[in-house]
């Protein structure tokens, strides 16, 4: 498969020379027809990266080639081939969904019958054809998100950027959006998807880039990434009190035979072990010895969460 | 094309916004009605005119019959309601009185007027009988009325009844803008003229208009003809500030970023946004003019061309001023505050609430830095004085010039701003 997006050492510092450096040398490639996810916590630099790839922000250094066009040299051509779904809903509230789509379609250079046709098609994709003539202001968050996505599809882009498209909506709408992304991808659309939900990245992506503090710390398929950290299980324990007060508990857990690593975060402790079931009794015993009671316990097979934890020492979610 | 699409999108959004409509159309109508009626309700058509017994001085140096006739016409009962004519002999003293503001105008009928009119010296075109007209240039309305009457009489002597109908009709039209009681002036004058002249006379008389002195004087201005444009401009300015601020609102809402992410250039986007405000403002003002004309029978002057020119210039200058403020404001709320302050300061300084003619001289000069002053000057020329397109060329040109500067600065700053 050929490469359609090639990101080369992108960097962005806001308000130089003293501003935040949000992206610190990110490189990756997206192949035609795949869903590539950027997975990272809040403030990791996902939106900044997407903004540079959309030619909204000029990189401080580095470049990216989208379908043969440089974001620095020919932003206009880049904009023709990309569809952008911004993280914040960017629609005009006081006009109808259809009017919004017609307006944005014209901004992409569509007109006449072609425009009408595409508006109807994307309204169908969004599942909102019956409510097309209602003001966007009257829509639920999930419906707005769907129209927000539909705008990005109007001009049949080759690559669709979706920046956290499921944030803050109900599970039903989220399901619908994930299915839509999958369907569009099945029809050949290349997708660059950002999220801080591990489950979404796992479900959708062909390949995943893990981003933290402006750096891409790992790239690969889900299997490749989990193999990186070996086949560890994760035991997550909630121990009523903050673990800052019980650093000894964490270090004792880390020292148990069969335990690979232990980390504390808030009220929970993460223990990575080769076989969770085998070490569980000893974990429980150690916790009891420290006078703590377990509120909740969960065993996870190796996953991206664990990968992130392994690479950064922090949980993906705060 | 995309510029128009953006402009039209904004115009649609604006005209569907009920609050914006109230601000744009209803508020100025209601306010000018209230203020106008507080100063003397004009729209029931029967209220007294503020112009009566305008003090005028007449110096008749002619000892012939025609000079006598001129004097009789001017002092006739028909004009008695309008003019309080004092006949005197000393031209210099008369000029001084005008200068002091004790009289609004002085008219001098020269020696040899009768001979000239009766055709005795008709061939000597280089010495026409010059009727001198002295008026205080800072006075506004009343000298125009007097001048109108004198011109009328002079024309009557010149071309007698032949052309008087035309000129009388003109005067009637002008008088109508000044108030209902003046409307029948033309008829009165015409009757007066026709009783005196039967045949055409050679053209030998001209009116010599001499401005006198620098006295400050309160302008007599028809309240509604003044306050309708003034409120119209004030609220146009509010809504132009509001409109241009939407660029910053779009910046905050993320739709501006989305616009930039489409294959549309920064310049197209900015021009589209500014164009939308301009379109909105144009429509707003046209609706306001039409509504005030329909509801309050406000006469917006006799010159459609002048009105169109001036409206274009005013809307453009206010739009570009708004764009300039938006371009340099940090965010929408700062632009809002700045826009309101500028609007109110410009309004006060420009003579929205109290006509600038009533300001002390230095403020009168200072007020010329405001768009509002030029706009108001132009509109009062049209609505209060019933002047034509040629008389608002200066105001129009100044406003276009200012627009050019504002727009250039705004574009420059917006381009810098969008290139992040
Ligand atoms: N316009 C800006 N000016 C200055 N700093 C910014 C700006 N936008 C983002 N940042 C900073 O850059 C860093 C990365 O932000 P970015 O929005 O790219 O993260 P993100 O991964 O998209 O996070 P989230 O999941 O919250 O959307 C953050 O520290 C943020 O505070
Ligand atoms: Mg983001």
């Amino acid at each position: 498969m050929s490469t359609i997006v090639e990101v080369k050492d992108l960097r962005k510092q806001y308000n130089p020379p003293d501003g935040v450096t949000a992206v610190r040398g990110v490189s990756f490639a997206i192949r035609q027809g795949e869903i590539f996810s950027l997975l990272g916590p809040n403030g990791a630099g996902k939106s900044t990266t997407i903004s540079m790839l959309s030619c909204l922000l000029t990189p401080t250094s580095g470049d990216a080639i989208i379908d043969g066009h440089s974001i620095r040299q020919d932003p206009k051509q880049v904009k023709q081939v990309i569809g952008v779904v911004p993280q914040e809903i960017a629609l005009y509230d006081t006009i109808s969904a259809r009017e919004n789509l017609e307006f944005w379609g014209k901004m992409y250079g569509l007109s006449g019958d072609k425009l009408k046709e595409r508006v109807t098609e994307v309204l169908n994709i969004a599942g909102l054809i019956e409510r097309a003539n209602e003001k966007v202001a009257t829509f639920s968050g999930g419906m707005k998100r769907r129209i927000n996505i539909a705008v990005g599809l109007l001009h049949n882009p080759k690559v669709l950027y979706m920046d956290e498209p499921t944030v803050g909506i109900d599970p039903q709408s989220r399901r619908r959006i994930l299915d839509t992304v999958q369907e569009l991808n099945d029809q050949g659309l290349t997708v660059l998807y950002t999220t801080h939900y591990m489950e979404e990245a796992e479900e959708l992506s062909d390949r995943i880039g893990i981003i933290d503090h402006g750096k891409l710390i790992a790239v690969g398929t889900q299997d490749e990434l989990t193999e990186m950290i070996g086949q560890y299980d994760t035991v997550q324990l909630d121990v009523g009190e903050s673990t800052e007060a019980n650093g000894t508990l964490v270090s004792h857990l880390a020292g148990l035979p069969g335990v690979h690593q232990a980390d504390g975060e808030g009220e929970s402790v993460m223990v990575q072990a080769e076989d969770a079931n085998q070490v569980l009794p000893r974990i429980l015993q150690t916790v009891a010895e420290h006078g703590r009671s377990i509120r909740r316990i969960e065993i996870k097979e190796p996953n991206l969460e664990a990968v992130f934890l392994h690479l950064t020492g922090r949980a993906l979610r705060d | 094309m995309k510029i128009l699409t953006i402009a039209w999108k904004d115009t649609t959004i604006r005209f569907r916004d009920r609050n914006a409509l109230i601000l744009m159309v209803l508020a100025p109508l209601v306010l000018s009605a209230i203020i106008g009626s507080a100063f003397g309700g004009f729209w029931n058509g029967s209220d007294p005119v503020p112009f009566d017994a305008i003090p005028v001085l007449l110096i008749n140096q002619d000892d012939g019959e025609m000079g006598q006739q001129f004097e009789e016409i001017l002092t006739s009962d028909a004009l008695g309601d309008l003019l309080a004519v004092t006949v005197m002999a000393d031209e210099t003293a008369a000029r001084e009185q005008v200068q002091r503001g004790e009289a609004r105008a002085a008219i001098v009928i020269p020696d040899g007027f009768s001979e000239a009119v009766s055709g005795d010296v008709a061939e000597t075109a280089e010495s026409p009988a010059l009727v001198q007209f002295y008026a205080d240039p800072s006075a506004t309305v009343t000298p125009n009325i007097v001048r109108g009457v004198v011109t009328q009489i002079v024309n009557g002597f010149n071309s007698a009844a032949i052309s008087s109908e035309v000129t009388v009709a003109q005067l009637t039209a002008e008088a109508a803008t000044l108030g209902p009681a003046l409307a029948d002036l033309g008829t009165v004058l015409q009757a007066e003229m026709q009783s005196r002249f039967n045949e055409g006379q050679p053209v030998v008389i001209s009116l010599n208009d001499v401005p006198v002195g620098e006295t400050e004087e309160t302008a007599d201005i028809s309240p509604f003809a003044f306050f309708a444009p003034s409120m119209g401009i004030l609220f146009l300015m509010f809504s132009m500030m509001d409109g241009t601020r939407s660029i910053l609102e779009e910046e905050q809402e993320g739709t501006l970023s989305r616009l930039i992410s489409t294959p549309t250039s920064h310049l197209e986007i900015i021009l589209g946004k500014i164009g939308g405000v301009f379109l909105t403002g144009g429509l707003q003002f046209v609706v306001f003019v039409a509504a005030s004309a329909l509801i309050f029978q406000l006469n917006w002057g006799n010159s459609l061309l002048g009105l169109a020119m001036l409206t274009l210039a005013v809307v453009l200058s206010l739009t570009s001023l708004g764009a300039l403020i938006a371009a340099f404001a940090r965010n929408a709320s700062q632009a809002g505050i700045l826009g309101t302050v500028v609007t109110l300061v410009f309004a006060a300084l420009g003579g929205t609430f109290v006509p600038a003619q009533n300001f002390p001289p230095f403020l009168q000069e200072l007020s010329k830095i405001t768009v509002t002053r030029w706009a108001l000057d132009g509109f009062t020329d049209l609505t209060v004085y019933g002047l034509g397109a040629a008389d608002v060329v200066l105001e129009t040109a100044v406003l276009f010039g200012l627009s050019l500067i504002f727009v250039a600065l705004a574009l420059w700053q917006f381009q810098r701003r969008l290139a992040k």
Side-chain angles (χ1 to χ4, degrees):
Chain A
M1 273 198 287
S2 60
T3 298
I4 187 160
V5 174
E6 177 153 30
V7 180
K8 298 188 276 194
D9 199 24
L10 269 190
R11 248 165 238 281
K12 179 68 187 183
Q13 180 177 25
Y14 286 108
N15 314 311
D18 310 314
V20 185
T21 303
V23 175
R24 311 160 178 259
V26 164
S27 302
F28 60 90
I30 304 176
R31 296 169 198 145
Q32 187 130 33
E34 77 176 348
I35 299 180
F36 184 95
S37 290
L38 277 178
L39 174 66
N42 292 125
K46 303 181 295 291
S47 296
T48 306
T49 305
I50 293 256
S51 293
M52 286 190 281
L53 297 181
S54 319
C55 312
L56 288 177
L57 285 179
T58 313
T60 308
S61 69
D63 197 358
I65 308 298
I66 320 286
D67 196 38
H69 308 290
S70 153
I71 56 168
R72 283 176 171 280
Q73 255 66 125
D74 355 278
K76 191 138 193 189
Q77 278 88 332
V78 170
K79 288 171 179 180
Q80 304 274 8
V81 297
I82 59 168
V84 181
V85 180
Q87 180 171 353
E88 304 301 332
I89 292 161
L91 299 170
Y92 299 106
D93 254 10
T94 54
I95 55 177
S96 72
R98 189 187 298 279
E99 286 168 319
N100 263 283
L101 290 165
E102 284 174 353
F103 171 76
W104 291 109
K106 287 177 193 164
M107 287 299 106
Y108 278 109
L110 301 175
S111 60
D113 288 347
K114 177 79 193 160
L115 175 65
K116 288 222 163 62
E117 198 178 290
R118 280 305 293 160
V119 167
T120 308
E121 281 171 27
V122 299
L123 275 168
N124 277 319
I125 294 172
L128 286 169
I129 192 91
E130 306 88 35
R131 307 205 47 184
N133 297 325
E134 293 174 33
K135 278 187 186 175
V136 170
T138 66
F139 286 8
S140 71
M143 290 158 73
K144 287 184 191 173
R145 287 253 163 228
R146 273 139 65 188
I147 297 292
N148 201 38
I149 294 171
V151 171
L153 297 170
L154 277 165
H155 61 302
N156 272 316
K158 290 188 180 174
V159 186
L160 183 67
Y161 303 160
M162 303 181 88
D163 195 2
E164 307 207 35
T166 60
V167 163
I169 57 174
D170 58 290
Q172 217 176 326
S173 290
R174 171 191 255 207
R175 184 72 260 147
R176 208 196 149 95
I177 287 172
L178 293 179
D179 290 346
T180 305
V181 175
Q182 198 63 66
E183 270 164 44
L184 291 166
N185 179 249
D186 290 345
Q187 291 158 21
L189 182 66
T190 306
V191 179
L192 169 57
Y193 193 96
T194 83
T195 182
H196 62 263
Y197 297 123
M198 177 195 66
E199 303 85 348
E200 286 187 2
E202 283 178 349
E203 177 187 335
L204 287 174
S205 323
D206 295 301
R207 289 189 312 127
I208 298 157
I210 297 179
I211 186 168
D212 187 41
H213 290 314
K215 281 196 167 144
L216 206 59
I217 51 180
V219 186
T221 63
Q222 198 189 333
D223 287 345
E224 285 166 354
L225 291 172
T226 48
E227 268 164 34
M228 266 177 51
I229 58 164
Q231 295 299 320
Y232 295 116
D233 294 342
T234 303
V235 180
Q236 185 175 343
L237 306 156
D238 281 5
V239 288
E241 279 168 61
S242 169
T243 41
E244 264 141 61
N246 48 38
T248 50
L249 169 62
V250 173
S251 57
H252 275 134
L253 287 170
L256 293 175
V259 168
H260 172 69
Q261 191 182 332
D263 294 283
E265 171 106 11
E267 293 186 350
S268 67
V269 179
M270 311 268 213
V271 181
Q272 290 175 44
E274 270 151 55
D275 187 343
N277 286 310
Q278 215 182 343
V279 297
L280 205 53
R282 263 169 286 176
I283 293 177
L284 298 177
Q285 193 186 349
T286 311
V287 172
E289 279 166 16
H290 279 80
R292 298 288 137 79
S293 56
I294 294 171
R295 301 279 167 83
R296 203 175 70 94
I297 186 162
E298 195 181 349
I299 300 173
K300 292 179 195 160
E301 306 276 287
N303 61 17
L304 292 175
E305 180 80 53
V307 174
F308 189 83
L309 183 66
H310 173 79
L311 290 171
T312 66
R314 287 179 291 120
L316 191 52
R317 262 170 281 175
D318 7 79
Chain B
M1 217 14 239
K2 285 186 183 172
I3 296 177
L4 276 183
T5 308
I6 296 171
W8 186 244
K9 181 266 297 172
D10 276 351
T11 309
T12 319
I13 287 178
R14 196 102 178 118
F15 274 86
R16 282 200 209 156
D17 180 353
R18 197 170 305 139
N19 294 332
L21 274 183
I22 290 173
L23 175 80
M24 293 192 302
V25 182
L26 207 59
L29 280 178
V30 170
L31 257 168
S32 46
I34 292 171
I35 300 180
S37 59
F39 280 79
F42 253 50
W43 39 86
N44 57 24
S46 61
D47 280 26
V49 192
F51 315 112
D52 55 352
I54 300 166
V56 173
L57 307 175
L58 179 69
I59 298 101
N60 186 1
Q61 295 168 345
D62 181 54
D63 43 21
E65 193 194 337
M66 294 301 172
Q68 192 55 40
Q69 285 209 8
F70 198 117
E71 190 177 324
E72 276 170 23
I73 295 172
L74 206 62
T75 53
S76 68
D77 286 341
L79 292 173
D81 283 346
L82 187 66
L83 306 179
V85 181
T86 311
V87 180
M88 54 192 287
D90 186 349
E91 189 178 338
T92 325
R95 285 175 71 156
E96 278 166 12
Q97 279 197 34
V98 173
Q99 218 155 7
R100 286 197 299 271
E102 288 163 21
R104 295 298 155 92
I107 302 147
V108 182
I109 304 168
D111 190 19
F113 181 76
S114 292
E115 287 95 311
V117 173
S118 53
D120 289 356
V121 289
E123 296 82 6
T124 53
E126 57 270 17
S127 62
L130 224 50
V131 174
Q132 305 274 356
F133 182 79
Y134 300 108
D136 180 351
S138 67
T140 44
V141 178
T142 41
N144 282 312
I145 298 171
V146 181
R147 187 185 295 114
V149 174
V150 173
T151 308
Q152 205 57 52
I153 301 170
V154 166
N155 284 343
F157 278 95
N158 274 341
S159 47
I162 297 168
S163 68
S164 71
E165 254 177 80
V166 181
T167 47
V168 165
Q170 250 170 25
L171 186 68
T172 312
E174 258 178 64
T177 71
L178 297 168
L182 286 188
D184 59 352
L185 176 66
T187 333
V188 172
L189 267 179
Q190 193 174 23
E192 193 72 31
M193 296 290 191
Q194 270 170 354
S195 68
R196 287 163 200 274
F197 306 109
N198 305 310
E199 285 169 23
Q201 306 271 338
V203 182
V204 285
I205 310 169
S206 63
L207 182 66
N208 188 26
D209 198 347
V210 189
V212 172
E214 294 283 323
T215 35
E216 294 144 31
E217 188 187 9
T218 308
D220 312 282
I221 287 176
S222 144
F224 197 49
F226 174 78
F227 278 110
S230 105
M231 290 299 122
I233 292 167
L234 176 64
F235 282 88
L236 179 67
M237 195 155 170
F238 274 129
S239 95
M240 296 299 87
M241 294 293 161
D242 232 33
T244 44
R245 208 165 47 133
S246 81
I247 307 178
L248 304 184
E249 277 158 5
E250 287 213 38
E251 191 174 47
Q252 271 153 259
E253 303 279 308
T255 44
L256 186 66
S257 287
R258 183 163 233 168
L259 277 170
I260 299 170
S261 80
T262 67
T264 311
S265 73
H266 293 180
L267 190 65
E268 282 175 303
I269 294 169
I270 301 161
L271 286 179
K273 291 296 297 176
I274 296 178
V277 181
F278 177 74
L279 206 60
T280 307
L283 286 174
Q284 170 183 348
F285 210 78
V286 168
V287 170
F288 175 72
V289 169
S292 60
L294 285 176
I295 302 169
F296 304 126
Q297 272 84 49
L298 177 72
N299 190 330
W300 283 82
N302 314 314
S303 169
L304 201 60
L305 176 66
L307 189 60
M309 264 169 35
L310 195 64
T311 300
L312 266 181
V314 169
V315 175
L316 189 67
S317 60
L318 293 179
T319 306
S320 46
L321 180 62
L324 184 65
I325 289 170
F328 284 90
R330 188 165 306 134
N331 51 40
S333 68
Q334 197 186 57
I337 293 165
L338 223 61
T340 308
V341 169
V342 170
T343 302
L344 291 177
V345 169
F346 272 32
L349 191 57
T352 298
F353 308 112
V354 178
Q357 282 80 5
N358 296 7
F359 291 174
F362 81 96
L363 261 188
Q364 286 203 30
E365 285 307 307
L366 187 65
S367 75
K368 286 180 186 160
I369 65 164
T370 68
V371 172
T372 316
R373 168 73 195 274
W374 291 99
L376 271 173
D377 275 3
F379 278 113
T380 40
D381 277 353
L382 297 176
T383 58
V384 179
Y385 310 140
L387 300 178
D391 298 292
V392 294
V393 165
L394 174 69
E395 285 88 351
T396 307
V398 169
L399 290 170
F400 272 123
L402 288 173
S403 309
L404 223 65
I405 297 168
F406 295 160
V407 161
L409 282 171
L411 286 182
W412 173 73
Q413 171 67 3
F414 270 128
Q415 294 262 33
R416 271 165 32 112
R417 208 172 163 148
L418 295 193
K420 278 189 284 197

